[in-house]
Amino acid sequence: MESEAVLRTKQSNVFRLKCSVQNYDWGIRGPDSAVARLFALNSGSIVDSDKPYAEFWMGTHDSGPSFLIGAAENGGAVESDSTSLKSWVSENPNSLGEKVVEKWGSDLPFLFKVLSVAKALSIQAHPDKELAKILHKLQPKAYRDANHKPEMALAITEFEALCGFISLEELKDVLRSVPETVEMIGHEDTNRVLLLDDEDEEEDLKSVLRSAFTQLMSATKSMISGTISDLKRRLHSESEVRQLTAKELLVLRLEKQYPDDVGVIAAFFLNYVKLNPGEALYLGANEPHAYISGECIECMATSDNVVRAGLTPKFRDVQTLCAMLTYKLGFPEILQGVPVNPYITKYIPPFDEFEVDCCVLPEGASVLFPASPGPSICLVARGEGMMLPLESLESDVISEGDVLFVAAKTEISITSEVELLIFRTGVNSRFFDAFMNGK
């Protein structure tokens, strides 16, 4: 059921949020999309069956702001749907905690999302802070802020992605078994890669890989089109006598979505990652990746900077992408999460800005989200229950689609009426530990 109750706390430290949606073309259409369902419940809107629903944004970024509903001031309820969360935290920095304000100023350092992916996103990377400042200054329309964008995807359904470069041994196998890749990068770069050894200096490995990948991504449209035609013809012929590999089948899927796109060939160079629900993948700055399909919780630093170079009709910045990448080789780390108690699993990436909790609360059970020195946002993804901020004398109904902003130093107790699934993001607890240790 949808609750109309207004949150009331003595110290104005828990608010409902009305959040934003992004209808990018790659989103899942209509009610099949978790983004669509959550946005409809959150905003009271009706789902358009023909429309793609790609991202549900919870936070303070200007491209998809959240607004306060039923903010309480001085113990009284005030309807304030027009008050943005960004403006409110700017005027109430105590809600962020002094350590967060000292590090990031009067704004949330994280952006919380739900993604529903029907079609592959672009092959992309996110700039580090230094590069983000330069790109924002030079091309503010393409790069809308000056922040970096480390991120983490926590699978809700089975989730597919391309992430990071394959190992050197795998790369050599690709060049030996996929003749179209040799055609794209040329025999000189191919031979340089084949002569590499794991014992070679790291910078030498990166230099050779950078040269080969840049050659690939810079190919002419006619070369790309002709090479992909050759690839399709060969794979369809070989499929009659052998089982195609998972990567080959993926490449054929990508070609149907993005015909004559260089990203189809580039996929051979990247790790093919399949996440089960409850597994998470994190991405640092300057790492190539592309989400392919499925639904996930995503959290990142507060930024919308994306450098694209393949699998997209949008603006491509091939030169910047190829120059910025780390060219680190090998399969990415998959986070399984750490159990905090019987109901909460915590996912802690190596970034100060955020961590994510997943809480599965059985019917009739109760759980305590302890106070954090920083702010957090909670999403009710399924179910219904009662929430009690411990500073308050009144409980409140929470249900699917509710999004709550929780100020720093606020404990929340939740009891489920029907099994609840809650995702919470907040500032990384390791940041506060390091802060306390004077690092």
Side-chain angles (χ1 to χ4, degrees):
M1 82 180 201
E2 185 175 351
S3 170
E4 295 180 353
V6 174
L7 291 170
R8 293 176 288 274
T9 71
K10 287 183 176 179
Q11 299 184 21
S12 303
N13 46 16
V14 180
F15 302 137
R16 290 190 192 280
L17 298 178
K18 184 176 181 179
C19 302
S20 299
V21 72
Q22 307 288 0
N23 300 103
Y24 305 138
D25 180 62
W26 50 259
I28 295 176
R29 294 185 181 274
D32 290 338
S33 166
V35 166
R37 297 192 301 272
L38 291 169
F39 175 67
L41 290 167
N42 177 264
S43 64
S45 61
I46 296 173
V47 176
D48 185 337
S49 297
D50 296 325
K51 203 171 190 178
Y53 290 82
E55 298 187 354
F56 184 53
W57 286 30
M58 299 162 280
T60 58
H61 197 280
D62 292 337
S63 296
S66 297
F67 296 88
L68 273 61
I69 302 173
E73 297 180 5
N74 301 320
V78 178
E79 289 298 323
S80 54
D81 293 26
S82 61
T83 302
S84 72
L85 177 60
K86 183 171 185 174
S87 65
W88 190 87
V89 297
S90 177
E91 294 169 6
N92 296 272
N94 289 342
S95 66
L96 302 174
E98 59 271 15
K99 298 177 183 64
V100 171
V101 173
E102 182 176 328
K103 172 77 172 181
W104 291 288
S106 299
D107 195 7
L108 287 183
F110 55 80
L111 176 59
F112 199 21
K113 298 182 182 180
V114 181
L115 269 59
S116 294
V117 183
K119 179 180 177 181
L121 281 67
S122 56
I123 292 178
Q124 59 185 258
H126 306 301
D128 57 30
K129 283 187 176 181
E130 184 178 350
L131 180 58
K133 290 177 182 177
I134 295 170
L135 293 176
H136 178 60
K137 183 176 181 179
L138 295 176
Q139 302 181 71
K141 290 184 178 180
Y143 304 106
R144 298 180 183 178
D145 55 73
N147 199 14
H148 68 162
K149 191 186 175 185
E151 65 185 30
M152 180 173 71
L154 170 57
I156 301 174
T157 66
E158 291 185 356
F159 193 78
E160 298 176 285
L162 293 169
C163 178
F165 288 100
I166 55 181
S167 70
L168 178 58
E169 208 52 51
E170 289 174 304
L171 181 56
K172 290 181 178 181
D173 286 343
V174 165
L175 294 176
R176 293 184 185 115
S177 62
V178 186
E180 294 80 13
T181 58
V182 177
E183 189 177 337
M184 292 286 284
I185 71 173
H187 289 285
E188 183 178 344
D189 275 328
T190 297
N191 291 332
R192 289 178 69 198
V193 172
L194 292 175
L195 290 172
L196 286 172
D197 189 276
D198 285 323
E199 302 301 317
D200 288 333
E201 292 289 334
E202 185 177 351
E203 284 307 311
D204 291 337
L205 291 171
K206 290 181 177 180
S207 175
V208 173
L209 181 55
R210 180 186 297 110
S211 176
F213 192 69
T214 302
Q215 187 78 8
L216 167 69
M217 301 304 289
S218 305
T220 63
K221 288 184 178 180
S222 60
M223 174 177 280
I224 294 166
S225 178
T227 303
I228 290 177
S229 293
D230 293 343
L231 175 67
K232 283 171 57 182
R233 192 180 306 111
R234 179 176 64 81
L235 291 181
H236 285 136
S237 175
E238 292 185 11
S239 69
E240 297 178 1
V241 295
R242 68 172 177 89
Q243 176 66 44
L244 297 183
T245 67
K247 179 66 75 69
E248 288 171 334
L249 291 170
L250 171 63
V251 162
L252 290 176
R253 279 171 56 197
L254 295 177
E255 192 279 331
K256 287 183 178 179
Q257 295 176 3
Y258 298 96
D260 297 333
D261 192 297
V262 69
V264 173
I265 303 292
F268 281 110
F269 286 69
L270 304 176
N271 294 295
Y272 182 20
V273 180
K274 296 181 181 180
L275 298 179
N276 295 313
E279 293 181 330
L281 174 71
Y282 65 84
L283 300 154
N286 304 323
E287 294 294 342
H289 62 280
Y291 296 154
I292 296 168
S293 72
E295 296 184 301
C296 73
I297 292 291
E298 188 182 40
C299 197
M300 64 202 64
T302 303
S303 173
D304 196 28
N305 280 325
V306 180
V307 184
R308 301 179 182 88
L311 302 182
T312 181
K314 296 182 179 180
F315 169 69
R316 301 180 186 216
D317 196 344
V318 173
Q319 184 177 355
T320 297
L321 182 117
C322 291
M324 70 190 274
L325 297 179
T326 66
Y327 293 98
K328 185 166 57 178
L329 298 168
F331 201 78
E333 181 182 1
I334 305 300
L335 297 181
Q336 304 293 337
V338 179
V340 176
N341 59 43
Y343 308 125
I344 297 177
T345 302
K346 186 178 291 290
Y347 298 82
I348 308 177
F351 315 123
D352 286 348
E353 285 87 351
F354 60 88
E355 65 183 21
V356 174
D357 290 335
C358 175
C359 175
V360 181
L361 196 59
E363 181 178 347
S366 297
V367 71
L368 176 71
F369 283 91
S372 167
S376 59
I377 290 178
C378 295
L379 164 69
V380 183
R382 185 176 69 238
E384 185 177 301
M386 303 292 289
M387 183 194 70
L388 180 67
L390 297 190
E391 291 86 353
S392 173
L393 299 178
E394 299 186 50
S395 62
D396 198 7
V397 174
I398 56 172
S399 59
E400 183 177 357
D402 283 342
V403 180
L404 311 171
F405 171 78
V406 182
K409 304 174 185 176
T410 304
E411 291 184 319
I412 296 293
S413 176
I414 295 174
T415 301
S416 63
E417 300 279 344
V418 178
E419 182 183 82
L420 274 167
L421 174 60
I422 296 174
F423 294 98
R424 170 201 162 271
T425 191
V427 176
N428 197 312
S429 51
R430 289 177 182 169
F431 163 74
F432 297 115
D433 294 342
F435 197 100
M436 294 297 290
N437 293 330
K439 294 181 182 179

